[in-house]
Amino acid sequence: AVISACETAEQWHRALRILKVMEDVALLPDVITVSAAISACEKVNRWQQALCLLELMRSSHLEANVVTYNAAISACEKGEQWKYALELLDTMLSSALLPDVVTFNAAISTCEKVGQWQRALALLDMMRFRRSLPNAITYNAAVSAFGNGQEWQKATGLLEVMRNHVLVADSITYLSAISACGKGEQWQQALCLLRMIQNDSSVPDVVSYNAAISTCEKVGQWQKALELFEVMRNNDAVADLITYNAAISACGKGEAWQKALSLLEETQEHELTPDIVTFSSAISACEACDQWQQVLGLLRQMHNFNVAADVLNYSSAIKACTNAGQRQHTTCLFELMIMVLWNQT
């Protein structure tokens, strides 16, 4: 009971100390006692101690149960130790213990965190084969694993399976799927996922909008990106700097330099501090339209915001001034670019 209390209070070091005291006075801990200690370690990401305790059980000829293994696998998940997690699952199976949904969820989450989407898929298949019913946590972890692995078809397919089973996908699940679509340049699918969030009587958060806007921007759908930006604001979602950076970059793709500068000005109105990405995107937009004076103005703004211009910024400015026949500015910018390169070596 004392060790269980330590587990609840996340006092893992006290749980281990109590086990040591029990050993010193020749009291043999039972399965429940050690399992509680493993769970206490799991809650504070002490996966090494959790595995040591599991080994202690084996050397003491105590038979670990499903609860014990679940706690140990969860500890491996928090420590991103996917190989140990899968080894523990194999040990369970060889010991004729039946993994439950908690076991599989922890193992799948472990694989998701380290980008092992193929193993996450194999675990999901194993789960179905053993007639262990996946729940929302299972699917959320699996979708996230596929998203991290850029497997947008599998991610969106699992989302559809969730909906068919009347399971609610959380915001992280949708974000993972949208991000996967972005990596696969599937902008239409990303927009479809945003609509799915709304159909689930939910409101997309800023991170989901950011992922969808970035997806449209990457594939040159700059008008769609700006449309999404406006939809986002109409839905009272507060744009952050990532949102503005993606929208300004989209303006560059569409050579909408005036809109890019307008959005840059908005960042300051909303008390957001533009960074190198913000300025670089705005400079690219102006350079694409030969707006050399605006480019030089942006370089001055960068200095005012203590944002150091890089080689690409100077290269864009040189190109804009060269196209405009501004030889003096071109020479000056070239010298500044050489200085940047010199400082980098």
Side-chain angles (χ1 to χ4, degrees):
V2 176
I3 290 182
S4 293
C6 291
E7 170 199 349
T8 304
E10 297 184 358
Q11 297 291 327
W12 64 274
H13 52 288
R14 291 186 180 178
L16 296 182
R17 196 176 302 137
I18 292 168
L19 277 179
K20 182 65 171 63
V21 171
M22 291 179 68
E23 182 183 347
D24 292 342
V25 297
L27 281 175
L28 294 177
D30 58 12
V31 173
I32 297 175
T33 308
V34 182
S35 296
I38 291 174
S39 185
C41 293
E42 173 265 323
K43 285 180 169 58
V44 290
N45 194 14
R46 296 284 174 172
W47 64 270
Q48 297 98 328
Q49 285 85 348
L51 295 186
C52 286
L53 286 170
L54 189 60
E55 188 58 37
L56 173 66
M57 289 186 71
R58 292 169 181 162
S59 62
S60 302
H61 305 291
L62 292 174
E63 292 187 7
N65 57 26
V66 173
V67 174
T68 315
Y69 277 105
N70 285 352
I73 293 173
S74 293
C76 291
E77 174 208 344
K78 290 185 177 175
E80 298 184 359
Q81 300 296 317
W82 67 273
K83 290 183 179 179
Y84 285 126
L86 297 188
E87 282 180 18
L88 290 175
L89 179 57
D90 287 339
T91 303
M92 285 184 71
L93 297 172
S94 61
S95 303
L97 289 173
L98 296 177
D100 58 15
V101 66
V102 177
T103 319
F104 281 111
N105 287 352
I108 291 171
S109 293
T110 307
C111 294
E112 175 266 323
K113 288 182 177 178
V114 295
Q116 292 287 330
W117 68 267
Q118 298 97 330
R119 296 183 188 277
L121 178 59
L123 288 169
L124 189 60
D125 289 338
M126 181 190 297
M127 197 174 181
R128 291 165 177 160
F129 177 77
R130 291 182 169 275
R131 301 186 185 282
S132 182
L133 189 63
N135 58 18
I137 296 172
T138 318
Y139 284 114
N140 286 338
V143 170
S144 184
F146 297 145
N148 294 337
Q150 303 184 29
E151 295 292 323
W152 68 270
Q153 297 99 326
K154 290 183 175 64
T156 54
L158 266 190
L159 269 177
E160 194 59 39
V161 171
M162 286 187 73
R163 292 165 65 85
N164 292 338
H165 287 82
V166 201
L167 295 172
V168 179
D170 60 22
S171 59
I172 296 175
T173 310
Y174 277 112
L175 173 61
S176 298
I178 292 171
S179 297
C181 291
K183 292 168 184 175
E185 299 186 351
Q186 300 295 318
W187 66 274
Q188 292 166 310
Q189 190 65 45
L191 298 187
C192 180
L193 289 172
L194 273 183
R195 287 192 291 270
M196 285 174 66
I197 298 176
Q198 295 168 326
N199 292 338
D200 287 342
S201 300
S202 201
V203 178
D205 59 14
V206 61
V207 183
S208 299
Y209 273 116
N210 288 349
I213 291 170
S214 294
T215 301
C216 293
E217 177 268 323
K218 286 177 183 176
V219 296
Q221 292 291 328
W222 65 276
Q223 291 169 311
K224 286 289 181 185
L226 295 181
E227 284 177 20
L228 271 181
F229 184 79
E230 293 303 322
V231 169
M232 178 181 174
R233 295 204 285 197
N234 292 337
N235 287 337
D236 297 324
V238 180
D240 59 15
L241 189 61
I242 296 173
T243 321
Y244 278 100
N245 285 351
I248 292 171
S249 182
C251 292
K253 297 284 177 66
E255 299 185 359
W257 65 273
Q258 292 167 309
K259 180 65 175 177
L261 295 182
S262 174
L263 290 173
L264 175 60
E265 189 175 339
E266 276 187 33
T267 63
Q268 298 161 57
E269 292 172 0
H270 290 86
E271 298 182 349
L272 296 171
T273 303
D275 59 12
I276 183 68
V277 178
T278 321
F279 281 113
S280 295
S281 299
I283 287 172
S284 294
C286 293
E287 179 261 313
C289 299
D290 293 330
Q291 295 295 317
W292 65 274
Q293 292 166 309
Q294 300 294 346
V295 171
L296 296 183
L298 288 168
L299 287 176
R300 284 191 291 270
Q301 281 192 55
M302 290 180 75
H303 179 75
N304 294 337
F305 279 92
N306 293 319
V307 178
D310 60 19
V311 172
L312 291 177
N313 299 142
Y314 283 115
S315 179
S316 293
I318 289 170
K319 185 178 178 182
C321 290
T322 300
N323 291 342
Q326 299 294 319
R327 293 183 179 179
Q328 186 175 354
H329 287 303
T330 300
T331 302
C332 182
L333 289 167
F334 186 76
E335 291 174 356
L336 291 171
M337 186 174 71
I338 294 299
M339 290 177 61
V340 171
L341 286 169
W342 180 263
N343 291 331
Q344 289 177 351
T345 58

